[in-house]
Amino acid sequence: MTIEYEFVNVDTDLATQVFVTNGLARQPALDCDRTPVAGAAFYYTPWQFLNASQGAREYFSFGEGLAVVARAAADASPLAPSPLTPVFTGRRYLAFPGQGALRVVDLGPADADAAAVAAAPAGVNPHELAIDWYLGASRVGVTEPLAPAVSAQFQAGDTLLFRPASPEEPPRRLDPDDLKGAARYRAPSNALRVTAVFQNQPGVGPAYSFSPHSAD
């Protein structure tokens, strides 16, 4: 189901970054025996960067459409990134070197309620990889470094995180702990349209309000 959002910046000079939650952000990678892997991490990147102008209105849609780009974690690798490849919850994928570029192929159903992308084993792939996760055309996060035979996983959440930011602050990747103070919003199951309002509130300062209210 796709939900249409209207964002209104009433009277602040701050921009808003919107993040799509990954339910497995703190357990982003698994070994072949499905044990968590130390060293690999998931970082959020802003999915939307909304206007800082007072009175601005912007619109975006939130729904399905998860996709990945696999790339070498080291800039010195001769491999080009893979094409943007759709992935689906409950399926597993393999990232491996093709002719001059990485490829991502579907391996079939997975046991977990997530999309999982494995780096090919060392005999096929000697590189550490990074998996860029996209919703639509915009990146929502990255899992790296991914050693050979290790799987990155993404569990698309139904919660969005709204974070104020300086309009001069370039979009950057953030650790999950960096978003602890973000405003969380989960649309009710029957909601098709949501209005998010950002405005100065007496005694509080700039804050977000949502209609309908969050289901959390």
Side-chain angles (χ1 to χ4, degrees), residues 41-166:
F42 176 82
Y43 302 94
Y44 283 105
T45 56
W47 174 56
Q48 302 284 333
F49 193 83
L50 303 175
N51 206 310
S53 302
Q54 296 188 23
R57 289 177 182 265
E58 294 187 69
Y59 301 86
F60 60 91
S61 300
F62 175 60
E64 298 179 348
L66 189 65
V68 298
V69 169
R71 56 182 173 83
D75 293 338
S77 170
L79 291 172
S82 72
L84 185 65
T85 304
V87 296
F88 299 92
T89 296
R91 299 194 72 82
R92 57 196 180 96
Y93 300 83
L94 179 70
F96 65 95
Q99 291 188 348
L102 286 160
R103 293 184 58 198
V104 176
V105 295
D106 189 341
L107 295 180
D111 296 333
D113 184 21
V117 181
V124 176
N125 164 51
H127 306 282
E128 288 190 327
L129 302 184
I131 303 299
D132 291 322
W133 303 92
Y134 285 78
L135 189 66
S138 298
R139 191 172 69 162
V140 298
V142 57
T143 305
E144 68 174 349
L146 203 64
V150 172
S151 296
Q153 52 181 3
F154 192 103
Q155 187 179 64
D158 56 2
T159 299
L160 295 179
L161 304 176
F162 290 74
R163 174 183 181 267
S166 165

Side-chain angles (χ1 to χ4, degrees), residues 8-33:
V8 183
N9 185 343
V10 175
D11 58 0
T12 84
D13 294 319
L14 293 170
T16 290
Q17 297 174 342
V18 183
F19 299 85
V20 177
T21 53
N22 175 9
L24 298 171
R26 298 187 182 280
Q27 189 177 305
L30 300 177
D31 211 335
C32 53
D33 63 357

Side-chain angles (χ1 to χ4, degrees), residues 181-201:
R184 301 177 62 87
Y185 181 78
R186 183 166 67 90
S189 59
N190 62 344
L192 296 178
R193 296 183 182 276
V194 172
T195 300
V197 176
F198 188 38
Q199 67 183 123
N200 283 295
Q201 298 183 8

